[in-house]
Amino acid sequence: MMPDSPLFAVDGGGTGCRAALVVGGQRIEAAGGPANAASDFPGTVATLRPLLAGLAASAGLGWADLARGRGYLGLAGIMSPDGGARLAAALDLPGVRVDDDQDTTIVGALGGADGAVCAVGTGSFLGRQSGDAIRRIGGWGFHLGDQASGGWLGRRLLQEALLAKDGVVARTPLLDALLSEDFGEGGISAFQFRAKPADFARLAPRVTGSNDPAARALMAEGAAYLRTGLSALGWRPGETLCLTGGVGPSYAPFIGHPVTPARGTALDGALILAERGA
C-alpha cells in the first residue's frame, strides 16, 4: 500500500450517513442519504457509491484509489461478518471492513483511551474498549432488550401509569396527566398496539426532564441496569465513562460515577478503526 493511499470511513444509519476521507493530511467530509443494509440493501449501495466517489473526486482520486486505501464502514443493519463482506463486494471494495455502527460509537467517544460507553437513544447498548479490544453488550432491540433507552423509558412510564390506575402503585402528577390529559380512558391500552419503538421513545422527555417521583424512579431503574452492564463488561470506577445518545447524558446524575464528555463522533471512530487497519 502506498504511503499516500487514502483513509476513508462512513457512519451510516436509517435516516442518513456521513463519510470522511483523509489523504495528504487533509480531511474531507460529505453527507448522504439512508444507509441501513438490513432494510434496504440495494438502496444502501446506491447511497454509498456516489457518496464515496464524490469524496474521492474532490481529492482528485478515483475508485481504484479507494480500493487501495484503508476503509471502515459502520452501518446500521450489518448483523454478521457475511453481511459486511457482501456489502463490501457490492461496492467493489473487497479490502474495506463493513460492520455495524456500535464499535464506531465506542471508539469515537473514547478515542484511544480505555473505558466504557453507554450509548442510549431510542435503543441502547454498552461497550468497553481496552487497548484495541472492544466488547459490547445489549443492542438486542425494543422487544427483548434496549433497557434504559428512550423506548424502554416510554414503555415503562405507561406501565406505571396503568399500575397507578389499578391502585398498585402510588399516583403522581405525571402518571395522572398521562391517564387523563394525554391518553384518556383506555388510550394507553390502545396505543400499545399501534406504537413503534420511536413512538414510545417520544415519551422519554417526560421522564428525563422531570422531578416527578415516578420519573425519578424510572431513571434510577435505568441507571441500575447501566451499572450492572458496566460491571459485566469489566469496567471499573476510575476508567473513562461516556454517556452518549439522545438519552444517555440524562443518566449522569443517576449513574453514581464521574462522566466524561465524548471525545469524538461515530465518524471519528470509524476513521480510527480504518487507521488501525480494520
Side-chain angles (χ1 to χ4, degrees):
M1 184 170 55
M2 298 174 59
D4 292 333
S5 61
L7 191 72
F8 62 96
V10 173
D11 169 40
T15 58
C17 63
R18 298 174 303 147
L21 172 71
V22 178
V23 63
Q26 182 183 12
R27 176 169 168 168
I28 307 167
E29 294 189 16
N36 187 314
S39 61
D40 187 0
F41 187 91
T44 296
V45 174
T47 291
L48 295 179
R49 271 190 172 278
L51 179 63
L52 291 173
L55 270 180
S58 66
L61 303 175
W63 199 262
D65 297 300
L66 291 182
R68 290 196 298 269
R70 286 177 291 175
Y72 191 102
L73 313 184
L75 306 176
I78 297 296
M79 308 303 293
S80 68
D82 287 345
R86 179 182 171 221
L87 185 58
L91 291 170
D92 195 23
L93 294 172
V96 74
R97 171 73 180 273
V98 184
D99 209 332
D100 66 28
D101 53 356
Q102 294 188 359
D103 283 1
T104 57
T105 298
I106 296 165
V107 175
L110 295 172
D114 289 353
V117 175
C118 299
V120 190
T122 299
S124 68
F125 69 89
L126 288 75
R128 180 172 182 260
Q129 177 174 248
S130 179
D132 287 350
I134 299 172
R135 185 184 171 201
R136 307 176 300 191
I137 62 173
W140 301 117
F142 177 73
H143 295 289
L144 299 178
D146 284 351
Q147 293 90 336
S149 70
W152 178 88
L153 282 172
R155 181 176 60 192
R156 285 287 295 112
L157 178 62
L158 296 183
Q159 288 173 339
E160 290 298 299
L162 292 177
L163 288 171
K165 176 180 173 60
D166 288 339
V168 177
V169 302
R171 299 181 78 109
T172 72
L174 175 57
L175 301 180
D176 282 342
L178 289 165
L179 289 168
S180 59
E181 303 166 17
D182 298 310
F183 287 92
E185 188 73 24
I188 292 176
S189 182
F191 173 81
Q192 68 178 311
F193 295 111
R194 66 175 186 272
K196 296 181 178 180
D199 297 318
F200 284 97
R202 277 190 275 274
L203 295 168
R206 302 288 299 271
V207 180
T208 60
S210 174
N211 284 321
D212 184 272
R216 294 185 66 81
L218 291 179
M219 293 299 294
E221 184 180 339
Y225 165 77
L226 296 178
R227 287 192 297 270
T228 300
L230 289 169
S231 178
L233 286 170
W235 180 88
R236 296 291 179 265
E239 293 182 358
T240 298
L241 173 61
C242 297
L243 304 178
T244 68
V247 176
S250 298
Y251 281 105
F254 299 88
I255 198 73
H257 300 290
V259 175
T260 301
R263 296 186 177 188
T265 66
L267 183 58
D268 298 323
L271 280 173
I272 292 172
L273 288 167
E275 191 170 20
R276 288 180 183 174

